[in-house]
Amino acid sequence: MAERSEFEVSIPSSTSHGYEVQERILTLLESSGFTDRDLFGVKLALEEALVNAIKHGNGMDPEKMVRVHCVLKQEEVTIVIEDEGEGFDPSDVPDPTDDDNLEKPSGRGLMLMRAFMTSIDYNDCGNKVTLVKQRTVETE
Amino acid sequence: MSAGQRRLDIEQIGDVTVAKFVDKKILDENNIQVIGNQLFGLVEEDGRKKIILDFSNVEYLSSAALGKLITMDKKVKSSGGKLRLCTIRPDIYEVFAITRLNKLFDIRDDQQAALAGF
């Protein structure tokens, strides 16, 4: 089916609202036949991106909103998550797999998003991330 | 309060403590905080030295959860103890492998393998 679904929501900076959006997106992908493995990766990446926006971007400030825009096409899903924070430079995040950083308890979210999504891109100021996942086509 | 929510099933096998995560998803910030405190309590309050963390129930975990596991590993090592992880499903193991934490942690296939020679 050459279908396209799209929605946009703005949520307050709380993790419970984050989970509602996460569930909405995953339900959409599941019903359109994304594989379990794709769903696992998208869930993991969404978790990291939403926590980043809610906690690090907006500092859990209830006055600040997180905007989530989801576009599902036949071959891929694109999710844009934007917070009202000052943003950050992803290139400043040290490589958590360096021997010197291996025992540091933080800094792995970005890496997991990159690993499990087809692409992730930040805008220049670093408060908006675009996550793309291409659907895996299972061959019988 | 957190004290009422047990997030780990604890079993003592000889001198080894097996702590099995109750949750399928170790994601939510508050949940991770509670789990972290219960893990650290095994070392800091109970003084347990040989600890196995059993992941058989765990289907998802986030980078924040990995952070707690790293801190747990440090606490166990600094108290002269040993920590092993076991029964990690392939999707989750991939998270450990991508972040190279499979090199940091002592990961065994299952509980029996983790108990062997501990």
Short mmCIF file of all heavy atoms in Angstrom, two decimals, chain B residues 55-89:
data_model
loop_
_atom_site.label_atom_id
_atom_site.label_comp_id
_atom_site.label_asym_id
_atom_site.label_seq_id
_atom_site.Cartn_x
_atom_site.Cartn_y
_atom_site.Cartn_z
N PHE B 55 19.32 -11.07 33.53
CA PHE B 55 18.54 -10.19 32.65
C PHE B 55 17.41 -10.93 31.92
O PHE B 55 16.88 -10.41 30.94
CB PHE B 55 19.46 -9.55 31.59
CG PHE B 55 20.31 -8.43 32.11
CD1 PHE B 55 21.40 -8.67 32.93
CD2 PHE B 55 20.04 -7.12 31.76
CE1 PHE B 55 22.19 -7.63 33.41
CE2 PHE B 55 20.82 -6.07 32.23
CZ PHE B 55 21.89 -6.33 33.06
N SER B 56 17.05 -12.14 32.38
CA SER B 56 16.12 -12.92 31.55
C SER B 56 14.79 -12.22 31.28
O SER B 56 14.17 -12.47 30.25
CB SER B 56 15.91 -14.32 32.11
OG SER B 56 15.80 -14.30 33.49
N ASN B 57 14.34 -11.35 32.19
CA ASN B 57 13.06 -10.66 31.94
C ASN B 57 13.21 -9.40 31.08
O ASN B 57 12.21 -8.85 30.64
CB ASN B 57 12.44 -10.23 33.28
CG ASN B 57 11.97 -11.42 34.09
OD1 ASN B 57 11.54 -12.42 33.53
ND2 ASN B 57 12.08 -11.33 35.40
N VAL B 58 14.44 -8.95 30.90
CA VAL B 58 14.64 -7.60 30.35
C VAL B 58 14.56 -7.59 28.82
O VAL B 58 15.34 -8.27 28.15
CB VAL B 58 15.98 -7.01 30.83
CG1 VAL B 58 16.18 -5.61 30.26
CG2 VAL B 58 16.06 -7.00 32.34
N GLU B 59 13.63 -6.82 28.30
CA GLU B 59 13.46 -6.70 26.85
C GLU B 59 13.99 -5.38 26.29
O GLU B 59 14.30 -5.27 25.11
CB GLU B 59 11.97 -6.83 26.49
CG GLU B 59 11.42 -8.21 26.79
CD GLU B 59 9.91 -8.29 26.57
OE1 GLU B 59 9.31 -7.29 26.14
OE2 GLU B 59 9.36 -9.36 26.85
N TYR B 60 14.04 -4.37 27.14
CA TYR B 60 14.56 -3.06 26.72
C TYR B 60 15.38 -2.46 27.84
O TYR B 60 15.03 -2.62 29.01
CB TYR B 60 13.42 -2.07 26.43
CG TYR B 60 12.65 -2.37 25.18
CD1 TYR B 60 11.43 -3.02 25.24
CD2 TYR B 60 13.14 -1.98 23.94
CE1 TYR B 60 10.71 -3.29 24.09
CE2 TYR B 60 12.43 -2.25 22.78
CZ TYR B 60 11.21 -2.91 22.87
OH TYR B 60 10.51 -3.17 21.74
N LEU B 61 16.45 -1.78 27.48
CA LEU B 61 17.10 -0.94 28.46
C LEU B 61 17.75 0.24 27.78
O LEU B 61 18.12 0.17 26.61
CB LEU B 61 18.05 -1.72 29.38
CG LEU B 61 19.51 -1.92 29.06
CD1 LEU B 61 20.17 -2.59 30.25
CD2 LEU B 61 19.73 -2.78 27.88
N SER B 62 17.82 1.35 28.51
CA SER B 62 18.30 2.59 27.90
C SER B 62 19.73 2.87 28.33
O SER B 62 20.30 2.19 29.18
CB SER B 62 17.41 3.74 28.35
OG SER B 62 17.57 3.94 29.72
N SER B 63 20.29 3.95 27.76
CA SER B 63 21.65 4.32 28.12
C SER B 63 21.76 4.71 29.60
O SER B 63 22.78 4.52 30.23
CB SER B 63 22.14 5.46 27.23
OG SER B 63 21.39 6.63 27.46
N ALA B 64 20.65 5.25 30.14
CA ALA B 64 20.66 5.62 31.57
C ALA B 64 20.81 4.36 32.44
O ALA B 64 21.49 4.37 33.47
CB ALA B 64 19.39 6.37 31.93
N ALA B 65 20.19 3.26 31.99
CA ALA B 65 20.31 1.99 32.73
C ALA B 65 21.74 1.47 32.63
O ALA B 65 22.29 0.95 33.61
CB ALA B 65 19.33 0.97 32.16
N LEU B 66 22.36 1.63 31.46
CA LEU B 66 23.76 1.20 31.31
C LEU B 66 24.64 1.95 32.30
O LEU B 66 25.56 1.38 32.90
CB LEU B 66 24.26 1.46 29.88
CG LEU B 66 23.60 0.65 28.76
CD1 LEU B 66 24.13 1.11 27.41
CD2 LEU B 66 23.83 -0.84 28.93
N GLY B 67 24.33 3.24 32.46
CA GLY B 67 25.09 4.07 33.41
C GLY B 67 25.04 3.50 34.82
O GLY B 67 26.07 3.44 35.52
N LYS B 68 23.85 3.05 35.24
CA LYS B 68 23.71 2.47 36.59
C LYS B 68 24.51 1.18 36.71
O LYS B 68 25.11 0.89 37.76
CB LYS B 68 22.24 2.17 36.90
CG LYS B 68 21.39 3.38 37.14
CD LYS B 68 21.73 4.09 38.44
CE LYS B 68 20.89 5.35 38.60
NZ LYS B 68 21.46 6.30 39.55
N LEU B 69 24.52 0.40 35.63
CA LEU B 69 25.26 -0.87 35.67
C LEU B 69 26.76 -0.62 35.79
O LEU B 69 27.47 -1.35 36.49
CB LEU B 69 24.97 -1.70 34.41
CG LEU B 69 23.54 -2.22 34.26
CD1 LEU B 69 23.35 -2.87 32.90
CD2 LEU B 69 23.21 -3.23 35.38
N ILE B 70 27.23 0.42 35.11
CA ILE B 70 28.66 0.76 35.19
C ILE B 70 29.02 1.19 36.62
O ILE B 70 30.02 0.76 37.18
CB ILE B 70 29.00 1.88 34.18
CG1 ILE B 70 28.87 1.35 32.75
CG2 ILE B 70 30.39 2.44 34.42
CD1 ILE B 70 28.86 2.43 31.69
N THR B 71 28.15 2.03 37.20
CA THR B 71 28.40 2.47 38.58
C THR B 71 28.36 1.27 39.53
O THR B 71 29.19 1.16 40.44
CB THR B 71 27.33 3.52 38.99
OG1 THR B 71 27.35 4.56 38.02
CG2 THR B 71 27.63 4.10 40.36
N MET B 72 27.41 0.36 39.28
CA MET B 72 27.32 -0.85 40.10
C MET B 72 28.61 -1.67 40.01
O MET B 72 29.15 -2.13 41.03
CB MET B 72 26.13 -1.69 39.63
CG MET B 72 25.95 -3.03 40.33
SD MET B 72 25.57 -2.80 42.08
CE MET B 72 25.32 -4.52 42.58
N ASP B 73 29.10 -1.83 38.80
CA ASP B 73 30.33 -2.60 38.58
C ASP B 73 31.49 -2.00 39.37
O ASP B 73 32.27 -2.71 40.01
CB ASP B 73 30.64 -2.62 37.07
CG ASP B 73 31.72 -3.62 36.71
OD1 ASP B 73 31.56 -4.80 37.07
OD2 ASP B 73 32.72 -3.23 36.09
N LYS B 74 31.57 -0.66 39.33
CA LYS B 74 32.64 0.02 40.07
C LYS B 74 32.51 -0.21 41.57
O LYS B 74 33.49 -0.45 42.26
CB LYS B 74 32.57 1.54 39.81
CG LYS B 74 33.11 1.96 38.47
CD LYS B 74 33.09 3.47 38.39
CE LYS B 74 33.35 3.92 36.97
NZ LYS B 74 33.05 5.33 36.77
N LYS B 75 31.29 -0.12 42.07
CA LYS B 75 31.06 -0.29 43.51
C LYS B 75 31.44 -1.71 43.95
O LYS B 75 32.06 -1.90 45.00
CB LYS B 75 29.59 -0.02 43.87
CG LYS B 75 29.23 1.47 43.86
CD LYS B 75 27.78 1.67 44.26
CE LYS B 75 27.32 3.09 44.04
NZ LYS B 75 27.93 4.08 44.94
N VAL B 76 31.05 -2.68 43.14
CA VAL B 76 31.36 -4.07 43.49
C VAL B 76 32.87 -4.27 43.50
O VAL B 76 33.44 -4.84 44.44
CB VAL B 76 30.69 -5.05 42.50
CG1 VAL B 76 31.13 -6.48 42.77
CG2 VAL B 76 29.17 -4.97 42.60
N LYS B 77 33.52 -3.78 42.44
CA LYS B 77 34.98 -3.96 42.35
C LYS B 77 35.70 -3.25 43.48
O LYS B 77 36.66 -3.78 44.05
CB LYS B 77 35.48 -3.45 41.00
CG LYS B 77 35.23 -4.43 39.86
CD LYS B 77 35.65 -3.86 38.52
CE LYS B 77 35.33 -4.84 37.39
NZ LYS B 77 35.29 -4.20 36.08
N SER B 78 35.26 -2.04 43.82
CA SER B 78 35.98 -1.29 44.86
C SER B 78 35.76 -1.90 46.24
O SER B 78 36.53 -1.64 47.16
CB SER B 78 35.61 0.19 44.84
OG SER B 78 34.27 0.34 45.21
N SER B 79 34.71 -2.73 46.38
CA SER B 79 34.53 -3.39 47.68
C SER B 79 35.20 -4.78 47.68
O SER B 79 35.02 -5.57 48.60
CB SER B 79 33.04 -3.54 47.99
OG SER B 79 32.49 -4.57 47.21
N GLY B 80 35.93 -5.05 46.61
CA GLY B 80 36.65 -6.33 46.53
C GLY B 80 35.79 -7.48 46.06
O GLY B 80 36.16 -8.65 46.20
N GLY B 81 34.63 -7.17 45.49
CA GLY B 81 33.73 -8.23 45.03
C GLY B 81 33.80 -8.45 43.53
O GLY B 81 34.66 -7.89 42.85
N LYS B 82 32.88 -9.31 43.06
CA LYS B 82 32.84 -9.62 41.62
C LYS B 82 31.40 -9.55 41.12
O LYS B 82 30.47 -9.97 41.82
CB LYS B 82 33.39 -11.03 41.35
CG LYS B 82 34.91 -11.12 41.43
CD LYS B 82 35.40 -12.40 40.77
CE LYS B 82 35.10 -13.64 41.60
NZ LYS B 82 35.70 -14.87 41.04
N LEU B 83 31.25 -9.05 39.91
CA LEU B 83 29.92 -8.93 39.31
C LEU B 83 29.90 -9.66 37.99
O LEU B 83 30.83 -9.52 37.18
CB LEU B 83 29.59 -7.45 39.09
CG LEU B 83 28.21 -7.12 38.50
CD1 LEU B 83 27.11 -7.32 39.54
CD2 LEU B 83 28.16 -5.67 38.00
N ARG B 84 28.84 -10.46 37.79
CA ARG B 84 28.65 -11.08 36.48
C ARG B 84 27.24 -10.80 35.99
O ARG B 84 26.31 -10.69 36.80
CB ARG B 84 28.86 -12.61 36.57
CG ARG B 84 30.32 -12.99 36.65
CD ARG B 84 30.51 -14.49 36.75
NE ARG B 84 31.93 -14.83 36.82
CZ ARG B 84 32.40 -16.06 37.03
NH1 ARG B 84 31.56 -17.08 37.19
NH2 ARG B 84 33.70 -16.28 37.08
N LEU B 85 27.10 -10.71 34.69
CA LEU B 85 25.79 -10.50 34.07
C LEU B 85 25.44 -11.75 33.28
O LEU B 85 26.34 -12.39 32.72
CB LEU B 85 25.86 -9.31 33.10
CG LEU B 85 25.75 -7.87 33.65
CD1 LEU B 85 26.63 -7.61 34.83
CD2 LEU B 85 25.99 -6.85 32.55
N CYS B 86 24.16 -12.10 33.26
CA CYS B 86 23.81 -13.31 32.49
C CYS B 86 22.41 -13.24 31.88
O CYS B 86 21.62 -12.38 32.24
CB CYS B 86 23.94 -14.55 33.37
SG CYS B 86 22.63 -14.75 34.58
N THR B 87 22.17 -14.17 30.98
CA THR B 87 20.87 -14.35 30.31
C THR B 87 20.41 -13.05 29.65
O THR B 87 19.29 -12.59 29.86
CB THR B 87 19.80 -14.88 31.29
OG1 THR B 87 20.42 -15.64 32.32
CG2 THR B 87 18.80 -15.76 30.57
N ILE B 88 21.29 -12.50 28.85
CA ILE B 88 20.96 -11.26 28.12
C ILE B 88 20.50 -11.63 26.72
O ILE B 88 21.23 -12.29 25.98
CB ILE B 88 22.21 -10.36 28.05
CG1 ILE B 88 22.66 -9.96 29.47
CG2 ILE B 88 21.93 -9.12 27.20
CD1 ILE B 88 23.93 -9.13 29.52
N ARG B 89 19.29 -11.24 26.36
CA ARG B 89 18.79 -11.63 25.02
C ARG B 89 19.56 -10.89 23.92
O ARG B 89 20.16 -9.84 24.18
CB ARG B 89 17.28 -11.43 24.92
CG ARG B 89 16.80 -10.03 25.07
CD ARG B 89 15.28 -10.00 25.14
NE ARG B 89 14.78 -10.65 26.35
CZ ARG B 89 13.57 -11.20 26.47
NH1 ARG B 89 12.73 -11.19 25.46
NH2 ARG B 89 13.18 -11.74 27.59
#
